[in-house]
C-alpha cells in the first residue's frame, strides 16, 4: 500500500542546484507537485528542463550542489536511481536508448519484479506478466510486433516515444516525468500517448510534462504550467500560460525575469 | 628409426611408444612419422622472426612443460555436456574398409603441418579420429556430436597432452550438423592440441558448432581447416569459455563459385586468461560470400587477440566479404588486440571490416536502472544481450538454450566498470 498523501505534496523541490562537470545548469529550482496533478514545464532549448527531470530520476552525470527534493516523504536525492524507480518515479526519456539483444518482455518484467520485491511482493509469474503486458499493449495501442523486438532497436522516433508510454503503463508510476514525449509524434500518436497519460491519471499519482508545444496540452489539461529559464522556474501559472507562450515566445518572460 | 637429435624427449618417447602400442595401417604409420619429423624440425612457434600468426600470443607456457601422452582409451565418451538429442560419434576410428579408405584419402590433406608445429605434433600422435561422414547425394539431415572429453591421466603428478582429431566429410548435397565440444576436468593444467578437417562438397550444407568448455587452467590449441566446393554453405559458431591460454586457428577456403560461409564466435575470458582467434578466409574462386562476426567479453586482466584475415585472389571477382569483431570490456585491465586484415587482388569485390572494444555504455546502464534494475542486474542483462547475437545463430534449440545459460552462469559480474 502506498502512503496517503495527507496534504503533503507528492514531490517538493526546494532551491535545487545541479551541475555537469564545471557547468552549472540548475540554479535554484522550486517546484511542488501534489498527487492527482499534472504539471507542464516549458522553456527554451538548453534552459535545463531535461536536466531537472534527469536529476530527479537520478542520472549519475549530474551533481546536486544545493537544495533538496522530497518525494513521498523521502529524501529523493539520496537514493540510487533504481530505488527511486521502485518507489514509483518514472522518467520517459527525451532520447530513449536502444537496447540491442534485450527483449522487451524480459526488460519490463525485470522492472516490474524489482518494484514488487521492493514492496515485499512476489515476482509475477510468466503467465501473469504476459497478461499484464498484453493488457497494457492494448491500452496504449502500440503495435504488438514492436514488443517482440529488442527494446527500441531500429525503432522510429515516434515508436520509441510510444514505447516509453508502454513502459510507463506497465510500471504504473506514482510520479511520471515525461521529457518531450510529444516531440516527433504524429497526430494519431499524440492522441494515443495523451490518452495513455489520461487513463493512467489518478488521485494518487502525478505527471510532469516537459514540452515545447501547446498541442499535447489540448489533450492533457495541466493544472499548472511553469517556465524554466536559465535553470530556474521564473513563472508559474494555469493552462492559459502555455497559450500565452505559444503566442508570444519567451522574450517577454526573459525581460520580466531580468527585472526581478 | 633414426631421427635428428631431439629437443623434445618426452614427446619423442611417447610418440615411439604410441607407434609400438598402436600400429596402424602403413599409411598411418608413415603419416605419424612425418608429423613427428616436422615437429622435431620446427618445434613450437615463436613470435620472433616476424611471425605475424603468433605476434601477440606467447606459447612458452605450453612449450616449457613436458606434457605426457596419457595412453587412455579413445576419449570422447562421457563428459559433462548434455547430448542435445544428437547421436555421439566415437573417436575410435576404424581404419579398415570403406571408411578407412576415406580417412586415408582425406586425413592430413587440409591440415598441413608444414609450417605448423602444433598440427605436426597432433599428427605425430594420431591414433583416434572422430570421423563424421555423409556420402554423396544423401540429402537427408544428419546431426551428430563429437565430444572430446579429457579425463584425468593415470599419474596425478604428471601433466598430460591430448591430441584430438576430427574429420568431417560432407558429400555432395549433404545436410549435416556437427557439434564439436571440448571438455576436461577442472584443476590440472593439461593441454589439448586439437585438429579438425572439414570437407564440404558441392551443394552441401554444413552447420558446425565448436564449444570450448575446458578447465579454466587448461591450454587449448585448436586448428580447424575447412574446404568448400561450388555452391556449398558452411555456417559455424565457435564458443569459448576462458582457459589459461586458448588458440582458435580457423581457416576456410572458398574453392568453388557460389560458396558461402558464415563464421561466428563468442568468447569469454576472466582473470589471468588469454584467447587468440585467428580466422582466415580464402576467396579462391569468384562469386563467393563470407561473413565473419566474432564477439568477446573480457573480464579481469584477461587478454584477447583477434586476427581476421581475408584473402581475395585475383580471379575471385564478385567476392563479398564482411568481418566484424566486437569486444565488451568488463574491467579496466582487460585488453584486446584486434587486427583485421584484407588482402584483395581482385577489383570487382565488396569487402568491409570493423572492430570495436568498449565498456558498457553509462547512458544505457542508467536507462535500465531508471526502470528499477540494480547495477548488477542491469549489467548482466546487457552482457547477455551482447552475447545473444552470436548465441542466436545456433539453430538447434537445445544447444542454443544450453549456451545461453552456460554463458550467463559463467559471466560473473565481478567488476563493474561504470558506476554512480
Ligand atoms: N551531461 C551534460 N554534460 C554537459 N553539459 C550538459 C549535460 N547535460 C546538459 N548539459 C547542458 O546543460 C544545458 C541544459 O541542458 P538540458 O538538456 O537540460 O536542456 P533542455 O532544457 O532540456 O533543452 P531542450 O529543450 O533542447 O531539450 C545545455 O546547455 C546542455 O548543453
Ligand atoms: Mg531536453
Amino acid at each position: 500500500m502506498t502512503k496517503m498523501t495527507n496534504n503533503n505534496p507528492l514531490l517538493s523541490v526546494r532551491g535545487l542546484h545541479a551541475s555537469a562537470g564545471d557547468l552549472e545548469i540548475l540554479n535554484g529550482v522550486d517546484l511542488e507537485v501534489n498527487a492527482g496533478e499534472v504539471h507542464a514545464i516549458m522553456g527554451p532549448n538548453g534552459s535545463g528542463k531535461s536536466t531537472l527531470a534527469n536529476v530527479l530520476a537520478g542520472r549519475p552525470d549530474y551533481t546536486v550542489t544545493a537544495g533538496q527534493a522530497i518525494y513521498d516523504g523521502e529524501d529523493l536525492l539520496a537514493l540510487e536511481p533504481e530505488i527511486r524507480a521502485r518507489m514509483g518515479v518514472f522518467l520517459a526519456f527525451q532520447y530513449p536508448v536502444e537496447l540491442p539483444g534485450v527483449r522487451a518482455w524480459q526488460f519490463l518484467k525485470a522492472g516490474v519484479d524489482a518494484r514488487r520485491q521492493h514492496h515485499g511482493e512476489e515476482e509475477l509469474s510468466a503467465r501473469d506478466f504476459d497478461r499484464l503486458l498484453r493488457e497494457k499493449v492494448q491500452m496504449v495501442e502500440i503495435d504488438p510486433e514492436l514488443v517482440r523486438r529488442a527494446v527500441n532497436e531500429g525503432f522510429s522516433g515516434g515508436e520509441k516515444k510510444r514505447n516509453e508510454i508502454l513502459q510507463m503503463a506497465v510500471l504504473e508510476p506514482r510520479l511520471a516525468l515525461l521529457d518531450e514525449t510529444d516531440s516527433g509524434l504524429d497526430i494519431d500518436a499524440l492522441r494515443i500517448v495523451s490518452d495513455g497519460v489520461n487513463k493512467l491519471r489518478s488521485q494518487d499519482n502525478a505527471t510532469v510534462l516537459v514540452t515545447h508545444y501547446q498541442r499535447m496540452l489540448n489533450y492533457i489539461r495541466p493544472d499548472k504550467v511553469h517556465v524554466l529559464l536559465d535553470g530556474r522556474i521564473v513563472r508559474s501559472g494555469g493552462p492559459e500560460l502555455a497559450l500565452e507562450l505559444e503566442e508570444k515566445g519567451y522574450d517577454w518572460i526573459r525581460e520580466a525575469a531580468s527585472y526581478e | 628409426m633414426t631421427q635428428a637429435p631431439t629437443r623434445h624427449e618426452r614427446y619423442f618417447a611417447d610418440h615411439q611408444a604410441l607407434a609400438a602400442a598402436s600400429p596402424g595401417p602403413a599409411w598411418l604409420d608413415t603419416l605419424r612419422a612425418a608429423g613427428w619429423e616436422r615437429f622435431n624440425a620446427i618445434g613450437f612457434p615463436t613470435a620472433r622472426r616476424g611471425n605475424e600468426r603468433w605476434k601477440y600470443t606467447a606459447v612458452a607456457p605450453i612449450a616449457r612443460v613436458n606434457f605426457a601422452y596419457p595412453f587412455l582409451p579413445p576419449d570422447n565418451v562421457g563428459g559433462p555436456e548434455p547430448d542435445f538429442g544428437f547421436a555421439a560419434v566415437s573417436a575410435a576410428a576404424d581404419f579398415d574398409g570403406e571408411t578407412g579408405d576415406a580417412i586415408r584419402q582425406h586425413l592430413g590433406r587440409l591440415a598441413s603441418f608444414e609450417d605448423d608445429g602444433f598440427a605436426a605434433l597432433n599428427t605425430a600422435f594420431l591414433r583416434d579420429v572422430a570421423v563424421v561422414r555423409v556420402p554423396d547425394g544423401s540429402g537427408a539431415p544428419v546431426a551428430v556430436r563429437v565430444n572430446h572429453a579429457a579425463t584425468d591421466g593415470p599419474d596425478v603428478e604428471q601433466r598430460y597432452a591430448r591430441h584430438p582429431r576430427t574429420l568431417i566429410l560432407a558429400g555432395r548435397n549433404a545436410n549435416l550438423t556437427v557439434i564439436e565440444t571440448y571438455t576436461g576436468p577442472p584443476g590440472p593444467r593439461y593441454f589439448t592440441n586439437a585438429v579438425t578437417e572439414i570437407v564440404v562438397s558441392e551443394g552441401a550444407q554444413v552447420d558446425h558448432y565448436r564449444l570450448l568448455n575446458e578447465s579454466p587452467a587448461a591450454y587449448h590449441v585448436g586448428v580447424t581447416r575447412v574446404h568448400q566446393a561450388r555452391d556449398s554453405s558452411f555456417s559455424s559458431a565457435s564458443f569459448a569459455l576462458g582457459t589459461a591460454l586458448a588458440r582458435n586457428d580457423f581457416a576456410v577456403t572458398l574453392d568453388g563459385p557460389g560458396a558461402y560461409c558464415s563464421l561466428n564466435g563468442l568468447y569469454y575470458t576472466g582473470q589471468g586468461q588469454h584467447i587468440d582467434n585467428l580466422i582466415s578466409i580464402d576467396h579462391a574462386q569468384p562469386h563467393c560470400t563470407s561473413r565473419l562476426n566474432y564477439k568477446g567479453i573480457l573480464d579481469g586482466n584477461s587478454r584477447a587477440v583477434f586476427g581476421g584475415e581475408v584473402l581475395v585472389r585475383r580471379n575471385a571477382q564478385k567476392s563479398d566479404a564482411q568481418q566484424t569483431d566486437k569486444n565488451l570490456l568488463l574491467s579496466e585491465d582487460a585488453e584486446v588486440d584486434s587486427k583485421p586484415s584484407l588482402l584483395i587482388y581482385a577489383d570487382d569485390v565488396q569487402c568491409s571490416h570493423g572492430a570495436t572494444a568498449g565498456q558498457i555504455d553509462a547512458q544505457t546502464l542508467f536507462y535500465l536502472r531508471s526502470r528499477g534494475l540494480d547495477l548488477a542486474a542491469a549489467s548482466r542483462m546487457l552482457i547477455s544481450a551482447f552475447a545473444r547475437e552470436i548465441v542466436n545463430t545456433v539453430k538447434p534449440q537445445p544447444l542454443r538454450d544450453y549456451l545461453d545459460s552456460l554463458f550467463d552462469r559463467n559471466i560473473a559480474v565481478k567488476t563493474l566498470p561504470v558506476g554512480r
Side-chain angles (χ1 to χ4, degrees):
Chain A
M1 274 310 292
T2 43
K3 279 182 252 170
M4 280 315 289
T5 48
N6 35 28
N7 293 335
N8 289 330
L10 181 60
L11 175 71
S12 168
V13 179
R14 295 251 168 81
L16 186 64
H17 286 69
S19 54
D22 294 338
L23 183 70
E24 287 179 23
I25 306 173
L26 299 183
N27 296 304
V29 173
D30 296 305
L31 179 68
E32 284 208 346
V33 181
N34 294 306
E37 291 180 344
V38 172
H39 289 227
I41 296 183
M42 305 181 80
N45 293 132
S47 56
K49 303 181 297 297
S50 293
T51 302
L52 174 61
N54 277 273
V55 165
L56 293 175
R59 189 187 202 99
D61 311 34
Y62 301 105
T63 316
V64 173
T65 50
Q68 61 171 17
I70 305 299
Y71 164 77
D72 199 17
E74 302 259 359
D75 177 4
L76 189 65
L77 304 177
L79 304 170
E80 297 291 335
E82 59 269 29
I83 304 297
R84 302 182 199 192
R86 294 171 196 172
M87 288 172 57
V89 177
F90 177 86
L91 171 64
F93 282 51
Q94 184 175 1
Y95 305 107
V97 179
E98 299 201 9
L99 304 178
V102 176
R103 300 172 192 123
W105 193 94
Q106 170 202 26
F107 174 59
L108 284 172
K109 184 162 188 301
V112 168
D113 285 340
R115 178 165 183 187
R116 293 177 64 90
Q117 278 175 335
H118 182 83
H119 293 285
E121 298 164 44
E122 301 237 314
E123 290 186 4
L124 279 187
S125 69
R127 168 119 54 85
D128 286 347
F129 181 72
D130 267 346
R131 196 178 303 130
L132 173 74
L133 185 57
R134 215 172 313 130
E135 185 189 301
K136 302 296 184 181
V137 162
Q138 274 176 11
M139 176 179 165
V140 304
E141 300 178 47
I142 195 170
D143 180 359
E145 191 48 46
L146 286 179
V147 181
R148 280 189 275 275
R149 282 162 55 179
V151 179
N152 291 331
E153 190 186 17
F155 284 23
S156 74
E159 288 171 340
K160 285 180 183 167
K161 296 298 174 83
R162 288 190 194 212
N163 198 27
E164 294 291 284
I165 295 303
L166 172 67
Q167 292 178 32
M168 179 175 91
V170 169
L171 294 169
E172 298 178 339
R174 288 195 70 203
L175 176 64
L177 309 165
L178 309 187
D179 190 358
E180 293 199 29
T181 304
D182 54 340
S183 296
L185 290 182
D186 63 42
I187 307 220
D188 289 340
L190 185 71
R191 181 192 50 77
I192 290 164
V193 165
S194 306
D195 279 357
V197 172
N198 286 330
K199 281 180 199 158
L200 296 167
R201 204 167 166 174
S202 80
Q203 277 315 303
D204 195 38
N205 61 29
T207 305
V208 176
L209 307 166
V210 172
T211 182
H212 285 294
Y213 308 107
Q214 165 64 32
R215 46 175 213 159
M216 179 141 90
L217 304 181
N218 292 333
Y219 294 98
I220 310 171
R221 201 180 147 75
D223 297 290
K224 293 218 173 90
V225 175
H226 311 274
V227 179
L228 192 71
L229 195 70
D230 298 334
R232 290 174 56 216
I233 289 180
V234 295
R235 186 175 288 249
S236 299
E240 69 290 343
L241 178 56
L243 290 168
E244 202 175 352
L245 290 170
E246 184 118 300
E247 206 178 297
K248 301 206 271 180
Y250 291 108
D251 282 350
W252 64 281
I253 289 197
R254 214 184 292 273
E255 277 162 34
S258 68
Y259 290 118
E260 271 177 24
Chain B
M1 240 185 283
T2 54
Q3 293 283 343
T6 180
R7 287 176 285 146
H8 302 281
E9 279 167 30
R10 177 75 214 219
Y11 284 118
F12 182 49
D14 284 346
H15 162 72
Q16 283 196 309
L18 177 69
S22 309
W27 65 265
L28 182 62
D29 294 341
T30 309
L31 187 60
R32 275 203 289 238
W36 175 260
E37 234 169 85
R38 197 60 202 149
F39 173 70
N40 197 40
I42 61 178
F44 292 105
T46 60
R48 274 175 285 133
R49 297 188 298 270
N51 186 351
E52 287 291 322
R53 296 175 63 81
W54 287 95
K55 193 166 176 186
Y56 299 104
T57 298
V59 301
I62 298 174
R64 65 169 168 251
V65 178
N66 288 312
F67 290 102
Y69 184 79
F71 291 95
L72 291 169
D75 56 0
N76 72 329
V77 276
E81 302 296 303
D83 67 10
F84 310 113
F86 284 40
V89 171
S90 167
D94 174 10
F95 293 108
D96 302 321
E98 203 201 334
T99 308
D101 285 344
I103 299 176
R104 177 174 50 78
Q105 197 191 331
H106 290 284
L107 200 67
R109 212 163 50 85
L110 298 182
S112 157
F113 51 76
E114 194 52 32
D115 302 318
D116 186 339
F118 286 108
L121 187 63
N122 175 288
T123 306
F125 285 92
L126 261 177
R127 186 193 68 178
D128 311 323
V129 185
V131 181
V132 177
R133 191 166 160 245
V134 181
D136 281 343
S138 158
V142 175
V144 295
R145 98 197 130 85
V146 175
N147 183 17
H148 292 291
T151 45
D152 287 319
D155 176 359
V156 289
E157 298 296 311
Q158 180 60 51
R159 294 168 68 180
Y160 291 99
R162 58 181 178 138
H163 306 275
R165 187 90 180 199
T166 306
L167 179 63
I168 299 170
L169 303 171
R172 250 180 286 116
N173 297 326
N175 179 345
L176 173 64
T177 301
V178 182
I179 302 175
E180 196 183 318
T181 54
Y182 294 87
T183 55
R189 292 190 161 230
Y190 63 90
F191 168 37
T192 298
N193 180 33
V195 173
T196 298
E197 293 166 285
I198 304 176
V199 177
V200 188
S201 308
E202 190 176 323
Q205 182 186 328
V206 174
D207 290 341
H208 177 250
Y209 303 104
R210 188 176 201 278
L211 170 60
L212 204 155
N213 187 12
E214 305 235 41
S215 158
Y219 302 115
H220 180 106
V221 174
V223 167
T224 305
R225 296 290 175 260
V226 184
H227 182 271
Q228 290 188 244
R230 167 190 287 269
D231 295 328
S232 66
S233 162
F234 179 74
S235 299
S236 97
S238 298
F239 296 88
L241 285 172
T243 62
L245 196 167
R247 161 89 158 181
N248 175 30
D249 173 354
F250 204 112
V252 176
T253 304
L254 298 166
D255 204 12
Y260 168 88
C261 76
S262 162
L263 312 180
N264 304 286
L266 178 65
Y267 46 95
Y268 167 75
T269 50
Q271 183 69 22
Q273 299 183 327
H274 181 112
I275 189 164
D276 180 332
N277 285 288
L278 176 63
I279 319 297
S280 323
I281 301 169
D282 181 351
H283 280 258
Q285 296 287 333
H287 293 283
C288 292
T289 303
S290 66
R291 293 286 178 269
L292 189 163
N293 188 13
Y294 268 63
K295 280 185 151 184
I297 300 164
L298 282 72
D299 205 350
N301 63 354
S302 66
R303 184 155 185 211
V305 179
F306 182 84
E309 296 180 351
V310 173
L311 166 64
V312 179
R313 293 182 193 262
R314 195 181 308 275
N315 65 318
Q317 299 297 0
K318 305 280 182 198
S319 289
D320 177 352
Q322 277 177 21
Q323 52 170 328
T324 47
D325 173 46
K326 300 192 199 104
N327 291 280
L328 187 59
L329 308 178
L330 303 184
S331 134
E332 303 273 345
D333 300 325
E335 206 184 309
V336 185
D337 290 295
S338 190
K339 208 173 58 76
S341 91
L342 294 172
L343 286 172
I344 301 170
Y345 299 103
D347 45 28
D348 185 9
V349 300
Q350 273 193 320
C351 296
S352 70
H353 65 81
T356 60
Q359 302 188 338
I360 295 179
D361 175 54
Q363 174 148 329
T364 308
L365 211 44
F366 173 60
Y367 191 58
L368 273 72
R369 294 178 79 192
S370 78
R371 301 305 186 242
L373 284 75
D374 62 28
L375 263 179
S379 303
R380 242 182 287 120
M381 190 173 279
L382 293 171
I383 293 166
S384 47
F386 178 83
R388 191 163 297 125
E389 183 191 355
I390 302 299
V391 173
N392 279 350
T393 67
V394 172
K395 290 173 208 157
Q397 173 95 36
L399 179 62
R400 190 167 65 236
D401 292 346
Y402 176 77
L403 290 166
D404 222 359
S405 68
L406 182 70
F407 273 81
D408 273 1
R409 261 187 288 121
N410 276 273
I411 298 168
V413 183
K414 294 178 217 121
T415 19
L416 290 170
V418 277
R420 46 207 63 205

